[in-house]
Amino acid sequence: MVRGLVIGEALIDVVDRPAATEHVGGSPLNVAVGLARLGRPVDFLTHIGHDARGRHITNYVKAAGATLVPGSTAAARTPTARATIAADGSASYAFDLDWQLSGTPPVAPPLFVHTGSIAAIREPGCLAVAALLHAYRVSATLSFDPNVRPSLIDDRDLARDRIEHLVERSDVVKVSDEDLRWIYPDRAPERTARTWLASGPAIVTLTMGDRGALGFCAAGAARVPARPVRVVDTVGAGDAFMVGLLDTLWELGLLGAGRRADLRRIGLDGMTSALEAAALSSALTVSRAGADLPDRATLQRQSNS
């Protein structure tokens, strides 16, 4: 169990700047690619087409060092998301996406399994994702990022129920204040993060844009500021944060079902280190166009500067 497994959507982001440009995207894909760029062995299970855009995604994943799980290219066409970038760098999306999965991926029992966003909510694939997480929990740390896409959600209550179920089953949860304001419009995000921690996870992290991030664990709460950076766009910011968080927990030897008790005992020093690494990864990503997550050499240079 030395490899991670990421399950979720991969797509092509068509970004209006105002001239349209295309980037490989998808929240789970960004996490898989980001970890691979840091030298972490990771498999990626998705649902894309065997078309030109699908081949572009396949080559992109392989170039990063991640492994595309067999069966991931069975879609009729590769999904797309048209992203509109606002003046402050924030992005809104319109999706053309079909999300399906079937069967158990032909990979060895993973050290961790990460999922989130569309993959966790959209039928019919979300049902298969939930079943896979249930099966893998015996061997793997489970991590989850809701990364809500409201334009794809018809039933808010059902989506909330699915998110809450995955939170309860997960060990590590990352969520943004923007997501929590959509999920629970009448609750303060910090209150929800603390409630989620009490429901099952060992760690819940809350990202708050330029106000930094909070991390909640049994030892208490840690907070780190956002790193000052010129924002080009925020595409992939939360995914980069998730990568930095998982990479640090991997480095600390806290991943894998056998380390679940140790993960629950993480101290505030360890929590703060993970948040700082995650914030750095996110800052470097928003300073570049598209979800261009940093490699290990880039992180090390910035950490030493």
Side-chain angles (χ1 to χ4, degrees), residues 1-6 35 40-43 107-114 133 136-143 171-172 246-260 263:
M1 294 193 303
V2 296
R3 299 181 66 84
L5 174 64
V6 178
L35 286 168
R40 299 299 189 182
V42 61
D43 298 309
V107 297
L111 183 69
F112 75 89
V113 180
H114 172 77
L133 294 182
Y136 280 126
R137 196 172 193 276
V138 68
S139 65
T141 296
L142 303 184
S143 69
D171 301 292
V172 178
L246 287 172
D247 180 61
T248 304
L249 296 177
W250 202 328
E251 185 67 26
L252 293 173
L254 295 177
L255 298 182
R259 305 305 302 273
R260 190 163 276 132
L263 181 63

Side-chain angles (χ1 to χ4, degrees), residues 4-302:
L5 174 64
V6 178
I7 304 173
E9 70 273 7
L11 47 82
I12 295 293
D13 284 326
V14 183
V15 183
D16 295 324
R17 295 188 177 274
T21 59
E22 294 195 358
H23 304 273
V24 174
S27 178
L29 175 142
N30 291 335
V31 173
V33 165
L35 286 168
R37 286 182 177 177
L38 298 182
R40 299 299 189 182
V42 61
D43 298 309
F44 179 47
L45 175 64
T46 189
H47 186 62
I48 58 176
H50 192 62
D51 49 24
R53 283 172 165 163
R55 289 190 292 274
H56 183 40
I57 290 172
T58 298
N59 292 336
Y60 184 85
V61 169
K62 291 180 178 178
T67 300
L68 196 66
V69 175
S72 291
T73 57
R77 67 183 183 280
T78 296
T80 60
R82 183 166 293 274
T84 301
I85 309 300
D88 63 357
S90 62
S92 59
Y93 299 88
F95 293 90
D96 176 14
L97 180 144
D98 176 37
W99 173 241
Q100 298 186 40
L101 286 181
S102 62
T104 301
V107 297
L111 183 69
F112 75 89
V113 180
H114 172 77
T115 194
S117 197
I118 298 166
I121 300 297
R122 191 168 179 82
E123 293 187 12
C126 68
L127 306 177
V129 171
L132 286 173
L133 294 182
H134 177 75
Y136 280 126
R137 196 172 193 276
V138 68
S139 65
T141 296
L142 303 184
S143 69
F144 174 54
D145 175 6
N147 200 1
V148 177
R149 304 302 188 193
S151 65
L152 288 176
I153 296 174
D154 298 322
D155 187 330
R156 185 192 292 256
D157 291 336
L158 179 58
R160 184 185 297 116
D161 288 346
R162 286 174 172 163
I163 289 168
E164 289 175 345
H165 175 75
L166 290 177
V167 167
E168 291 167 2
R169 301 294 295 170
S170 296
D171 301 292
V172 178
V173 175
K174 175 262 162 192
V175 65
S176 71
D177 55 353
E178 182 180 4
D179 286 340
L180 288 183
R181 289 191 183 97
W182 185 89
I183 299 169
Y184 306 108
D186 300 324
R187 294 190 204 170
E190 183 174 336
R191 175 190 167 196
T192 298
R194 292 182 183 276
T195 299
W196 278 8
L197 181 72
S199 74
I203 291 172
V204 175
T205 62
L206 173 63
T207 59
M208 303 176 294
D210 60 5
R211 295 187 295 118
L214 286 164
F216 302 93
C217 59
R223 182 168 193 155
V224 299
R227 284 183 167 250
V229 66
R230 177 182 173 273
V231 177
V232 175
D233 65 50
T234 61
V235 178
D239 308 323
F241 189 96
M242 188 82 240
V243 167
L245 181 65
L246 287 172
D247 180 61
T248 304
L249 296 177
W250 202 328
E251 185 67 26
L252 293 173
L254 295 177
L255 298 182
R259 305 305 302 273
R260 190 163 276 132
D262 296 315
L263 181 63
R264 289 191 175 279
R265 289 193 292 266
I266 191 172
L268 291 182
D269 287 346
M271 187 77 258
T272 300
S273 295
L275 291 176
E276 289 174 341
L280 174 59
S281 179
S282 185
L284 291 172
T285 300
V286 302
S287 69
R288 303 189 282 201
D292 186 9
L293 279 69
D295 58 19
R296 181 72 68 190
T298 302
L299 283 180
Q300 291 175 340
R301 283 196 304 270
Q302 291 299 318

